[in-house]
């Protein structure tokens, strides 16, 4: 305000003086259709300590005061101040010790203090018309016109509100804030930025208004003197009321006669039952005071702390803060160890959901469907839970049919994985059929190695409340590692070996462990699906419930980092082979792998001990008709051979063992025929079984 420029203007016809903003003189003169003379210009600092006369009360003098919220960017830089009707005005009045008496009651009408002409007139209705008439009568109305401007409206009723000062009960939290902020340093916030946001809100809050004027709620147990500005509340009245509430509920404040709300020893001191000088107050507690003391009910004792408080980001100034302040005041400790703060759900186009706008998505409709299920199909609870889990709930998230359909598709893929797992352990009993880890196929050991890493990462993600990461880990595992890789490799072993063959039992052992870890991992997110899975696992004993049999369990024996080198090197050669025959059946080709003598050859040799095999672990991985492993080039390769070259770096023991080796992958069409049983090209003729299938069938 000190930098603002103003002009003292004199009307040439009436001689009246006006203070106007310098850049507004032309406009005002045009509007009033008269001429003005600029006598002098001056700054806001020149006006400080000046006075103005009231347009309706000639004897009332109003001071001119500086204020930071008044600028030249809007209007003239001179504004009327109503201390009882605005926070900024109230602050100016408090700073300069002005009266904050309110001339408007709780019904929005003028009180008797406003004068007989305005008394009982609605401020926003006939009261405005009366004020205009009073200004006209006093000849102090220069111009009357209608303007559209910003004004506060009630969000629920969509009606204008009147801001007014009223007497309330406050808690001075200045002395609590230092302790509260120190204790917050030991609290884990997710996301971490929420902690600073909460501290900033607390810093801007010197007082906490704990009273409200409603027709329902928990009463503030204060008795008001009928004729004096005095209050009655002490330990005796509180203890008496506490017993009444414990026995009859908080409604006693509204239903019992006032004399019964006071203990006898206090009642006798304040006029007795027939001449009681006090009456119960009508104020109720702020609901955040109610909810903020919930720790006192669920955390008995002074040393207990909740593991987690979870709510929306709007509660950084609400429940989180009221819980902290009440706990600090009473127990000198925070009520929570961890605070998780989530954002809000928006419409599919990012618009805010509102009942009044009619764009709220009802969770019940999402789960069970709407009246017209062709437009609002039932997705089920698990789809909704999956969508919530995969969303970045720490910010605003959008919801609509496309998001729900995507979630449903994700769960459908998961169900297909589970169906494969359940179907292939139908004849398996872990107690009698399991194969020891060191006796399992290398690829089976490898998938258990991956499973152990998955379980650890999922466990860590749950501890961080990062449910989206849990979803991403699960999706990557059951699509990339299982469906696209492991399942396609082991199908021949599962379907074509003898039912009790150790090779088949080896992969069944892995499948049983995968099924158990997967179901338990997604159970917190998809409880219904997890329970459904457990009901169909043939070997699980009672109780058949994922929620009554513990969390995921893995074995340290599964962790074999060296397996990664073996599988990754073999898969590099596999990828070269499959990449050379895009869209074709790998079983129609035979593969020759040539590796120079060294560590890589020794690793691959673990998968195939003989030179050429159609049933080795290496050939299973290649999915070819047969695989040949050589340490030097083979002579006389067919003319239709494809030769691929590559290198692989062995890196073991944290880099202590490093060796780069070259390899060749030679691809040749097979000369064998398709076996009518296993469909692998390993038979001598199309009418005869391959040696492996003949042995299996002959051994039945």
């Amino acid at each position: 305000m000190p930098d603002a420029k103003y002009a003292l203007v004199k009307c040439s016809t009436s001689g009246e003086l006006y203070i106007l903003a310098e850049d507004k003189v032309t406009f005002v003169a045009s509007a009033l259709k008269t001429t003005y003379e600029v006598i002098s210009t001056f700054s806001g600092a020149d006006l400080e300590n000046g006075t103005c006369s009231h347009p309706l009360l000639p004897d009332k003098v109003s001071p001119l005061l500086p204020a930071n919220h008044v600028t030249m960017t809007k209007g003239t830089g001179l504004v009327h101040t109503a201390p009882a009707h605005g926070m900024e005005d109230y602050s100016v009045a408090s700073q300069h010790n002005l009266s904050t008496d309110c001339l408007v009651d709780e019904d929005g009408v003028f009180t008797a203090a406003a004068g007989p002409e305005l008394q009982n007139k609605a401020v926003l209705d006939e009261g405005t018309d009366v004020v205009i008439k009073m200004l006209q009568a006093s000849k102090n109305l220069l111009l009357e016109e209608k303007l559209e401007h910003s004004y506060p409206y009630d969000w629920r009723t969509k009606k204008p509100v009147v801001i007014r000062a009223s007497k309330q009960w406050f808690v001075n939290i200045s002395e609590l804030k230092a302790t509260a902020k120190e204790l917050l340093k030991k609290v884990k916030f997710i996301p971490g930025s929420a902690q600073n946001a909460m501290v900033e809100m607390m810093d801007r809050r010197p007082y906490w208004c704990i009273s409200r004027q409603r027709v329902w709620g928990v009463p503030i147990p204060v008795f008001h003197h009928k004729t004096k500005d005095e209050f009655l509340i002490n330990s005796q009245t509180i203890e008496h009321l506490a017993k009444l509430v414990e026995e009859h509920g908080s409604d006693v404040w509204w239903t019992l006669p006032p004399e019964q709300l006071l203990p006898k020893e206090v009642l006798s001191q304040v006029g007795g039952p027939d001449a009681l000088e006090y009456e119960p107050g009508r104020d109720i507690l702020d609901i955040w005071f109610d909810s903020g003391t919930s720790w006192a009910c669920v955390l008995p004792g002074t040393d207990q702390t909740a593991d987690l408080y979870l709510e929306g980001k709007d509660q950084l100034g609400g429940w989180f803060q009221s819980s902290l302040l009440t706990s600090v005041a009473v127990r000198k400790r925070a009520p929570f160890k961890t605070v998780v703060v989530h954002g809000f759900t928006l419409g599919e186009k990012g618009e805010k959901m509102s009942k009044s706008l009619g764009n709220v998505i009802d969770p019940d409709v999402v789960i069970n469907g709407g009246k017209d299920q062709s437009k609002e199909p039932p997705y089920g609870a698990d789809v909704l839970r999956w969508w919530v889990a995969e969303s970045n709930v720490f910010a605003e998230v959008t919801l609509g049919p496309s998001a729900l359909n995507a979630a449903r598709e994700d769960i459908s893929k998961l169900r297909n994985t589970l169906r494969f797992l359940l179907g292939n352990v139908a004849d398996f009993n872990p107690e009698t059929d399991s194969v020891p880890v060191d006796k399992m196929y290398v690829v089976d050991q490898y998938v258990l190695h991956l499973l152990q890493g998955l379980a650890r990462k999922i466990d860590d993600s749950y501890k961080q409340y990062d449910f989206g990461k849990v979803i991403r880990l699960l999706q990557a595992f059951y699509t990339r590692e299982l469906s696209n890789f492991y399942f396609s490799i082991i199908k021949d072993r599962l379907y074509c070996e003898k039912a009790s063959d150790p090779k088949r039992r080896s992969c069944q052992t892995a499948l049983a462990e995968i099924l158990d870890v997967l179901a338990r991992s997604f159970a917190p997110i998809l409880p219904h699906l997890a329970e459904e899975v457990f009901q169909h696992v043939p070997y699980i004993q009672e109780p058949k419930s994922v929620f009554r049999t513990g969390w995921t369990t893995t074995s340290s024996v599964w962790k074999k980092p060296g397996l990664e080198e073996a599988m990754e090197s073999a898969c590099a050669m596999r990828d070269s082979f499959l990449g050379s025959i895009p869209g074709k059946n790998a079983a129609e080709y035979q593969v020759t792998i040539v590796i120079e003598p060294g560590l890589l050859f020794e690793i691959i040799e673990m998968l195939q001990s003989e030179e050429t095999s159609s049933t080795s672990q290496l050939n299973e991985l290649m999915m070819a008709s047969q695989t040949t492993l050589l340490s030097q080039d083979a002579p006389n390769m067919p003319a239709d051979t494809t030769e691929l070259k590559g290198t692989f770096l062995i890196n073991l023991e944290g880099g202590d063992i490093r060796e780069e080796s070259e390899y060749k992958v030679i691809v040749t069409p097979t000369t064998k025929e398709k076996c009518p049983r296993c469909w692998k090209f390993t038979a001598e003729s199309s009418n005869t079984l391959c040696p492996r299938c003949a042995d299996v069938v002959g051994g039945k």
Side-chain angles (χ1 to χ4, degrees):
M1 182 172 174
D3 296 330
K5 294 293 184 179
Y6 300 90
L8 184 63
V9 181
K10 178 181 179 182
C11 177
S12 61
T13 56
S14 66
E16 294 175 319
L17 297 177
Y18 300 92
I19 298 175
L20 299 172
E22 190 174 29
D23 61 346
K24 302 292 184 180
V25 172
T26 303
F27 169 76
V28 174
S30 174
L32 298 179
K33 297 181 179 179
T34 185
T35 58
Y36 291 82
E37 173 188 357
V38 178
I39 298 176
S40 63
T41 62
F42 44 87
S43 69
D46 297 323
L47 299 179
E48 192 170 344
N49 299 321
T51 60
C52 293
S53 60
H54 195 284
L56 298 179
L57 304 173
D59 297 333
K60 182 179 177 65
V61 176
S62 299
L64 290 171
L65 302 170
N68 292 330
H69 69 279
V70 181
T71 68
M72 284 293 292
T73 58
K74 290 184 179 181
T76 64
L78 290 169
V79 300
H80 162 258
T81 294
H85 299 284
M87 192 62 218
E88 292 171 331
D89 293 6
Y90 182 86
S91 297
V92 172
S94 299
Q95 183 180 352
H96 295 281
N97 297 317
L98 301 181
S99 171
T100 57
D101 291 341
C102 185
L103 303 181
V104 181
D105 67 13
E106 295 179 355
D107 294 323
V109 301
F110 285 108
T111 65
E117 292 179 272
L118 290 172
Q119 185 178 3
N120 296 327
K121 300 293 191 301
V123 173
L124 298 179
D125 195 5
E126 67 263 28
T128 299
D129 298 331
V130 172
V131 169
I132 291 174
K133 291 178 181 178
M134 293 172 68
L135 288 171
Q136 289 172 334
S138 64
K139 298 183 179 180
N140 283 320
L141 182 64
L142 299 180
L143 177 67
E144 176 190 353
E145 62 180 354
K146 291 185 177 181
L147 298 172
E148 285 190 7
H149 63 97
S150 176
Y151 191 83
Y153 271 65
D154 176 49
W155 67 273
R156 187 180 294 275
T157 64
K158 301 297 186 289
K159 293 182 178 181
V161 299
V162 176
I163 298 174
R164 59 181 293 276
S166 59
K167 290 185 177 181
Q168 304 290 342
W169 291 97
F170 291 84
V171 175
N172 187 346
I173 65 171
S174 300
E175 297 181 2
L176 296 175
K177 283 197 291 187
T179 303
K181 289 194 289 185
E182 191 64 29
L183 289 170
L184 278 184
K185 295 178 181 179
K186 301 177 182 178
V187 176
K188 182 178 182 179
F189 277 78
I190 301 174
S193 59
Q195 185 174 35
N196 290 334
M198 183 168 171
V199 170
E200 290 173 1
M201 288 184 182
M202 211 174 340
D203 283 337
R204 297 195 300 267
R205 183 184 196 177
Y207 297 96
W208 175 12
C209 179
I210 63 168
S211 56
R212 296 290 187 273
Q213 291 70 51
R214 301 284 189 273
V215 295
W216 55 269
V218 177
I220 295 179
V222 174
F223 295 86
H224 296 251
H225 198 282
K226 293 180 178 179
T227 59
K228 303 176 184 177
D229 191 19
E230 295 178 356
F231 310 101
L232 173 60
I233 180 173
N234 55 43
S235 59
Q236 291 176 299
T237 62
I238 292 296
E239 289 175 5
H240 179 73
L241 284 168
K243 292 178 181 178
L244 290 175
V245 171
E246 186 176 6
E247 184 176 352
H248 304 288
S250 60
D251 281 350
V252 294
W253 185 260
W254 318 110
T255 58
L256 289 182
E259 58 271 16
Q260 294 185 28
L261 298 175
L262 289 168
K264 293 180 180 179
E265 56 272 25
V266 174
L267 183 62
S268 61
Q269 300 171 11
V270 292
D274 298 327
L276 185 59
E277 300 170 355
Y278 289 84
E279 61 185 3
R282 311 304 294 177
D283 296 330
I284 66 165
L285 281 169
D286 173 19
I287 58 171
W288 297 118
F289 191 96
D290 289 0
S291 60
T293 55
S294 56
W295 54 263
C297 297
V298 298
L299 301 173
T302 59
D303 59 342
Q304 292 199 34
T305 305
D307 292 315
L308 171 71
Y309 268 47
L310 167 68
E311 250 294 355
K313 62 183 182 181
D314 56 329
Q315 298 310 316
L316 290 170
W319 184 48
F320 295 142
Q321 197 171 132
S322 64
S323 299
L324 174 67
L325 294 174
T326 54
S327 182
V328 169
V330 176
R331 309 189 304 167
K332 299 295 189 291
R333 66 184 302 139
F336 34 63
K337 298 175 185 176
T338 303
V339 173
V340 174
V341 185
H342 62 74
F344 298 111
T345 303
L346 306 177
E348 194 163 27
K349 297 180 181 179
E351 71 279 9
K352 180 181 177 181
M353 289 190 187
S354 170
K355 290 182 180 179
S356 59
L357 296 177
N359 64 342
V360 174
I361 297 178
D362 187 344
D364 185 64
V365 173
V366 172
I367 295 170
N368 300 309
K371 294 181 179 179
D372 184 354
Q373 297 202 352
S374 63
K375 296 180 179 179
E376 296 177 318
Y379 289 94
D382 277 354
V383 168
L384 185 60
R385 293 174 67 91
W386 180 273
W387 168 79
V388 171
E390 72 173 342
S391 301
N392 179 17
V393 296
F394 307 125
E396 270 62 50
V397 294
T398 59
L399 176 61
S402 59
L404 292 170
N405 287 331
R408 182 167 57 185
E409 182 64 24
D410 289 340
I411 295 177
S412 178
K413 293 176 181 178
L414 175 58
R415 291 186 70 94
N416 288 336
T417 300
L418 297 169
R419 190 177 294 112
F420 180 90
L421 290 166
L422 285 168
N424 285 290
V425 296
D427 64 338
F428 180 75
N429 185 341
E431 294 184 1
T432 58
D433 301 330
S434 290
V435 176
V437 175
D438 59 343
K439 302 294 184 182
M440 295 172 69
Y441 260 39
V442 172
V443 70
D444 300 332
Q445 294 183 49
Y446 175 65
V447 81
L448 289 183
H449 167 78
L450 296 179
L451 186 66
Q452 204 234 27
L454 172 74
R456 177 180 50 79
K457 292 175 183 177
I458 284 179
D459 194 50
D460 291 342
S461 299
Y462 272 122
K463 290 177 180 178
Q464 297 298 320
Y465 303 98
D466 193 347
F467 308 119
K469 188 174 183 180
V470 173
I471 296 289
R472 293 191 296 274
L473 288 168
L474 286 170
Q475 286 178 317
F477 187 76
Y478 70 71
T479 55
R480 185 174 65 237
E481 307 297 351
L482 295 184
S483 297
N484 296 343
F485 175 67
Y486 185 61
F487 288 173
S488 62
I489 291 172
I490 64 173
K491 284 179 181 178
D492 179 73
R493 235 190 315 158
L494 284 171
Y495 302 156
C496 299
E497 296 292 351
K498 293 180 181 179
S500 59
D501 191 296
K503 296 190 289 291
R504 183 170 182 270
R505 294 304 192 196
S506 174
C507 60
Q508 283 185 307
T509 302
L511 293 178
E513 297 291 359
I514 293 169
L515 178 61
D516 187 77
V517 170
L518 274 186
R520 295 184 193 277
S521 294
F522 66 71
I525 298 171
L526 305 177
H528 302 90
L529 181 56
E531 284 291 77
E532 183 183 354
V533 168
F534 262 61
Q535 298 303 312
H536 289 85
V537 176
Y539 46 79
I540 288 183
Q541 304 298 317
E542 295 295 339
K544 283 195 172 187
S545 173
V546 67
F547 297 106
R548 299 177 64 187
T549 50
W551 185 230
T552 58
T553 56
T554 59
S555 172
S556 59
V557 178
W558 298 355
K559 191 66 176 176
K560 295 185 176 182
L563 280 178
E564 293 185 19
E565 297 297 320
M567 293 306 303
E568 288 177 8
S569 59
C571 285
M573 300 168 195
R574 178 179 186 266
D575 292 343
S576 296
F577 163 49
L578 297 178
S580 70
I581 54 168
K584 296 181 180 179
N585 184 1
E588 297 180 19
Y589 295 84
Q590 58 187 33
V591 178
T592 299
I593 298 175
V594 182
I595 307 174
E596 59 186 5
L599 187 56
L600 179 60
F601 183 85
E602 294 174 6
I603 289 175
I604 297 300
E605 197 175 26
M606 292 191 308
L607 301 175
Q608 182 168 302
S609 56
E610 62 269 46
E611 183 175 286
T612 301
S613 175
S614 62
T615 59
S616 69
Q617 296 187 49
L618 181 59
N619 191 65
E620 179 187 60
L621 189 66
M622 293 296 164
M623 301 171 66
S625 170
Q626 67 178 32
T627 299
T628 300
L629 178 61
L630 302 174
S631 59
Q632 59 184 6
D633 285 337
N636 304 321
M637 297 302 294
D640 55 354
T641 294
T642 300
E643 184 176 297
L644 308 159
K645 295 181 180 180
T647 60
F648 190 84
L649 177 64
I650 302 295
N651 190 347
L652 297 172
E653 304 296 334
D656 291 342
I657 301 176
R658 290 172 60 87
E659 183 178 300
E660 188 173 58
S661 300
E662 295 182 352
Y663 64 83
K664 292 181 181 179
V665 177
I666 302 170
V667 182
T668 308
T670 185
T671 58
K672 300 288 185 177
E673 296 293 332
K674 183 178 181 180
C675 172
R677 180 174 179 270
C678 68
W679 290 13
K680 294 182 69 174
F681 285 75
T682 51
E684 295 300 324
S685 71
S686 59
N687 298 322
T688 60
L689 298 179
C690 67
R692 188 273 308 268
C693 287
D695 181 61
V696 171
V697 172
K700 286 185 178 180

